[in-house]
Amino acid sequence: MGRRRPQKALRLQTVALYAAYASNMDPDQMAQRAPHSPLRGTGWLPGWRLTFGGEDMSWDGALATVVEDPDENVFVALYDVPEWDEQALDGWEGTELGVYRKVRVRVQTLEGDVLAWLYVLDDYEGGLPSARYLGILGDSAERAGAPDDYVKDLRSRPCKSLGD
């Protein structure tokens, strides 16, 4: 009987669950930004509210963010994100520049609660998004499967028209 060769230890890649609430809800956009991060499902972020801030950071209006609010819920798309895609997303979201920071949250899904991370704007709440940006967010929510009333509410938020 021959000797057994020692097996190489496999390095398991950790996969984090990312909760997208803005334009990254769109699976097509995420496929470009984080190509190894499949859509896992959707859920709700209880006790949080979608809002906007950092108007002075963007050339066309305020940026999406979430803030804690016990009376509200935010629809999210959940993605399984490996380490290398997480680094790419960090670049897109400007974490190294201090635009967004990561926060761990509990998301309610039909299968039960899950822990995930998301990006929160590192600036004050306030300001209006551009009409174009709001349209992108509405389209992204629709593509992710958000309920019609959520998409309608998102599209009807106050916004800046071009040239405001």
Side-chain angles (χ1 to χ4, degrees), residues 94-116:
T95 58
E96 290 182 12
L97 301 173
V99 178
Y100 282 92
R101 60 187 166 79
K102 291 180 187 172
V103 175
R104 293 197 46 88
V105 294
R106 185 173 306 279
V107 177
Q108 290 179 348
T109 72
L110 291 176
E111 293 80 35
D113 289 359
V114 295
L115 292 177

Side-chain angles (χ1 to χ4, degrees), residues 11-28:
R11 181 175 179 258
L12 296 177
Q13 174 64 44
T14 58
V15 176
L17 194 58
Y18 165 53
Y21 58 83
S23 63
N24 283 345
M25 285 189 288
D26 183 345
D28 292 336

Side-chain angles (χ1 to χ4, degrees), residues 46-119:
W48 292 78
R49 172 174 47 88
L50 180 69
T51 188
F52 297 89
E55 190 170 24
D56 57 334
M57 292 185 192
S58 175
W59 60 269
D60 65 346
L63 302 169
T65 191
V66 291
V67 295
E68 290 186 81
D69 184 329
D71 300 324
E72 296 289 329
N73 295 293
V74 177
F75 181 83
V76 295
L78 297 169
Y79 294 91
D80 285 321
V81 180
E83 199 174 291
W84 54 86
D85 273 356
E86 185 175 345
Q87 291 170 1
L89 280 175
D90 286 352
W92 277 104
E93 300 300 333
T95 58
E96 290 182 12
L97 301 173
V99 178
Y100 282 92
R101 60 187 166 79
K102 291 180 187 172
V103 175
R104 293 197 46 88
V105 294
R106 185 173 306 279
V107 177
Q108 290 179 348
T109 72
L110 291 176
E111 293 80 35
D113 289 359
V114 295
L115 292 177
W117 57 270
L118 53 71
Y119 295 103

Side-chain angles (χ1 to χ4, degrees), residues 25-41:
M25 285 189 288
D26 183 345
D28 292 336
Q29 178 171 295
M30 275 295 288
Q32 293 174 3
R33 291 183 173 184
H36 306 97
S37 301
L39 179 65
R40 178 173 169 181

Side-chain angles (χ1 to χ4, degrees), residues 3-11:
R3 280 190 182 174
R4 290 185 88 187
R5 288 183 151 179
Q7 291 185 351
K8 290 183 181 178
L10 294 176
R11 181 175 179 258

